[in-house]
Amino acid sequence: MDVPNNRSSVSEFILLGLSTSQEIQIFFFAVFFLVYVAIIVGNLLIVISVIVDTHLHSPMYFFLANLSFFDLCLSSATTPKVIADLLRKCKTISLWGCMAQMFFMHFFGGGEMSLLIAMAIDRYVAICKPLQYQTIMNRRVLIGFLLLSWAIGSIHTTSQMVFTVGLPFCGPNVVDSIFCDLPLVIKLACTETYILELLVIANSGLLSLICFILLLISYIVMLVTIWQHSSSASSKAVSTLSAHITVVTLFFGPAIFIYVFPFKSYSVDKFLSVFYSIITPLLNPIIYTLRNQEMKAAIKRLSSQHIDSWLTS
């Protein structure tokens, strides 16, 4: 059958997923389902704890709660569809469903990237200018950083998707991934996409690399400051800072690898897609709760309050 040479000829994409084996897909379904539940519970627990516990009403926890919200949204943009597809033999997604998936992934990904920079600035002020911390990191500044994160996420995704939605898809429609990955979808267009591929690399890859380098430099400066001013608070500062550094590495590592070395190995792309959309949002709440005594204490207080209210009701 001849395929019409227009954009409407492709109304959906076929996702190849992780495996064609039914047994392996059932195993992945169980794993992904449990991990996604853990992501929802872990990140919501952090958000609720920061909101209701007055001990956590500080700039650092304000950013942490918003980071958890971004993680929750970033994972929810793809994971529910991935879990549902693991129970289906034919894994398809509509053209506009694919576009929406890519839009929200880059929206929340770009927002989280800028939020991590804001968190680094917060830690820099707390460590290097402790006497001026409350004055500098006031409520207006916090709201400004948060709005800037949303704005950067919007600009980041719009600058790529505005060109992608106009591409003609008139032939191949098979995406060798678990969800719609922007570089892979662009390759399916029935037109020359070299310039657009360079735009994606420049927009996502180089931006991630530059931000990572700037964050790395800022954290090195903070560590040097801590070592030069040895005090009883140094161990707590190092513990908090190490958690931030771990989260930054986990977030930027996969992003840099995917976009600086694109279209090389689809098996690597699949692994990094799983890591970036599922594993990282799970690790962030684990890292912050296990390494932060105040957060663990707040979660215990929240849990005990709910248990007490349930017993007295």
Side-chain angles (χ1 to χ4, degrees), residues 127-145:
I127 292 172
C128 300
K129 300 179 182 294
L131 298 179
Q132 301 167 293
Y133 178 68
Q134 295 298 333
T135 303
I136 296 175
M137 301 303 296
N138 56 64
R139 183 178 180 83
R140 181 178 297 179
V141 171
L142 298 183
I143 298 300
F145 275 131

Side-chain angles (χ1 to χ4, degrees), residues 9-309:
S9 63
V10 171
S11 60
E12 64 181 19
F13 292 100
I14 299 173
L15 304 171
L16 294 185
L18 293 173
S19 174
T20 57
S21 170
Q22 186 68 24
E23 293 77 13
I24 294 178
Q25 289 194 86
I26 293 174
F27 169 76
F28 279 132
F29 170 81
V31 172
F32 279 40
F33 179 80
L34 292 175
V35 169
Y36 185 58
V37 170
I39 289 172
I40 295 175
V41 173
N43 285 289
L44 279 181
L45 201 57
I46 290 178
V47 173
I48 295 172
S49 297
V50 172
I51 292 174
V52 303
D53 196 313
T54 56
H55 296 84
L56 302 182
H57 290 178
S58 66
M60 184 180 75
Y61 293 109
F62 172 83
F63 288 129
L64 177 56
N66 282 280
L67 178 67
S68 293
F69 177 76
F70 275 113
D71 275 332
L72 183 60
C73 294
L74 180 61
S75 181
S76 297
T78 57
T79 309
K81 180 70 169 65
V82 172
I83 293 173
D85 283 345
L86 288 170
L87 298 178
R88 300 189 181 113
K89 186 175 182 179
C90 184
K91 305 170 180 59
T92 61
I93 184 171
S94 68
L95 173 65
W96 289 108
C98 182
M99 296 298 167
Q101 201 174 66
M102 294 186 294
F103 176 88
F104 286 112
M105 279 192 64
H106 286 270
F107 176 76
F108 290 112
E112 184 167 338
M113 185 187 305
S114 57
L115 191 63
L116 288 171
I117 296 176
M119 294 175 73
I121 294 174
D122 170 71
R123 289 300 86 202
Y124 172 82
V125 176
I127 292 172
C128 300
K129 300 179 182 294
L131 298 179
Q132 301 167 293
Y133 178 68
Q134 295 298 333
T135 303
I136 296 175
M137 301 303 296
N138 56 64
R139 183 178 180 83
R140 181 178 297 179
V141 171
L142 298 183
I143 298 300
F145 275 131
L146 181 59
L147 292 177
L148 183 61
S149 297
W150 285 89
I152 290 176
S154 179
I155 295 171
H156 171 67
T157 190
T158 302
S159 62
Q160 298 177 97
M161 294 306 301
V162 69
F163 299 106
T164 305
V165 296
L167 290 175
F169 295 98
C170 55
N173 67 334
V174 178
V175 180
D176 191 8
S177 184
I178 61 175
F179 52 74
C180 286
D181 190 10
L182 183 58
L184 299 181
V185 172
I186 289 174
K187 295 287 285 185
L188 299 177
C190 302
T191 185
E192 176 58 50
T193 59
Y194 178 73
I195 301 299
L196 184 55
E197 289 174 28
L198 290 181
L199 173 65
V200 171
I201 294 172
N203 194 326
S204 298
L206 293 181
L207 180 61
S208 299
L209 183 61
I210 292 171
C211 290
F212 179 72
I213 292 174
L214 292 175
L215 284 168
L216 187 63
I217 294 173
S218 68
Y219 284 129
I220 291 174
V221 171
M222 284 183 271
L223 287 172
V224 171
T225 302
I226 292 172
W227 287 329
Q228 289 179 344
H229 300 82
S230 178
S231 66
S232 58
S234 293
S235 59
K236 180 181 178 181
V238 170
S239 178
T240 303
L241 202 57
S242 62
H244 282 277
I245 294 173
T246 303
V247 168
V248 166
T249 303
L250 289 173
F251 181 83
F252 283 96
I256 293 171
F257 195 97
I258 288 173
Y259 289 102
V260 173
F261 306 100
F263 316 119
K264 298 300 182 183
S265 173
Y266 288 156
S267 60
V268 173
D269 281 345
K270 287 183 180 181
F271 170 78
L272 292 175
S273 296
V274 172
F275 185 86
Y276 188 62
S277 63
I278 298 176
I279 304 302
T280 300
L282 174 66
L283 290 179
N284 285 355
I286 293 176
I287 291 169
Y288 280 113
T289 53
L290 290 181
R291 299 183 66 89
N292 191 301
Q293 296 298 325
E294 292 180 345
M295 180 58 68
K296 287 194 289 185
I299 292 175
K300 287 181 181 179
R301 286 192 294 269
L302 181 64
S303 302
S304 62
Q305 288 174 3
H306 282 277
I307 293 174
D308 291 341
S309 61

